[in-house]
Amino acid sequence: AVAVALYFLVSSGKIKQWWQAGTSSGKWRIESLKLGNEIKNAEEQKNLLVKELGEKAWQNRIEHESYAEYYAQMQAQEQLKAELAEERQSLESQVKDVRQTRDQVENKYNEQIKGLQEQRKTASNQLNQLQESQKGFTKQLESVKKEHLKMQNEWQSFQNKLEQVKASTDPKRDEQIANLNDGIAALSNSMIKANNDIPQLEAQVSQIEEELTPIKNQVEDLENKIEQAKTSQKEEVKPLSEKIESLDKQIAGLKEKERQHQQKLDELVAAFGPMVNQARPASEVLNTAYSELDQKQSRFDELSQQQGLLKARISALDSKAVTSFYIFIGASVLVVLLFLVLIYFAFA
């Protein structure tokens, strides 16, 4: 039955008709897709040239009556942006001056504080040296007094012992008396020396104490001056810093407004190209752009015509024949597959 049907289709010319319609349809559709991509690229290039034409016309301030109102909108945006930029630059100049003033104030006080700190360091070193010296003399004085008290106790002990020996009948009585007298004499000499050293050491301690008082006062005075300088620095710098912060905020606000106007201007310029292209104002600056646009437009029109012709050819095809072609191809593939399956099972 399949063979009979196939013979009928071949003899009647149906398969040939389907084949021609199907292959032509496929070929033209592929060509149409290729042309579609070329048209898309050509259109993108043309649009880019149109955009660049508008930018060049605006950059060179080329006017024309047909787009006068639109041109005035761009000029207005540019003027507003220029006014904002001028105001911003004025504020930036003020910020620069205020920062310079603040730096001068900070440097003035930093130098003053540095000088005071160096004086305090010198005075503190003197104070430390005197305190160490006073500590040494005080320690020495305490040691001499302690030794003097010890010698007094020992001298009294020798005196008591001497009285006892004198009243005794010990055979070595005279020798003991002599030894005790030597000890008492030695202790007496040592106590005399200690009595002389103690006032001298006390005088040295007192003298150092007198020297310490003005230096302590000087260190304290310098510390107060340092704190006063730091406080004055903060008081003078604070309003300047607040002024700078306020100006910076105003500048940031103006920059944002400038950005918005620039964005609006960019949008207007981006849409300016088609108006310039349509008006074609006479300008040597734009002649090259006009020529490139005409070439791109010509190529775009040529490709569009070719695609239109292909679409017309595809539309003119017998749609039933094209459908029958694809059905026939699908059925043929299916028959071949079934045949292969039968052979496989037959020899398996």
Side-chain angles (χ1 to χ4, degrees), residues 301-317:
D301 293 341
E302 180 184 350
L303 292 172
S304 297
Q305 289 176 1
Q306 291 178 14
Q307 189 181 48
L309 178 60
L310 285 173
K311 288 181 178 180
R313 286 174 176 173
I314 293 170
S315 298
L317 288 172

Side-chain angles (χ1 to χ4, degrees), residues 14-31:
K14 290 289 185 179
I15 290 181
K16 182 179 180 181
Q17 180 184 355
W18 294 351
W19 182 268
Q20 289 177 344
T23 54
S24 296
S25 174
K27 175 184 175 183
W28 291 339
R29 288 183 187 279
I30 291 172
E31 290 180 3

Side-chain angles (χ1 to χ4, degrees), residues 98-112:
V98 177
R99 279 203 174 98
Q100 185 176 2
T101 301
R102 184 181 66 177
D103 291 342
Q104 291 172 351
V105 170
E106 287 182 332
N107 291 335
K108 179 188 72 174
Y109 279 105
N110 286 340
E111 288 298 321
Q112 182 180 344

Side-chain angles (χ1 to χ4, degrees), residues 310-327:
L310 285 173
K311 288 181 178 180
R313 286 174 176 173
I314 293 170
S315 298
L317 288 172
D318 185 350
S319 59
K320 291 183 178 180
V322 173
T323 303
S324 298
F325 169 77
Y326 288 116
I327 293 174

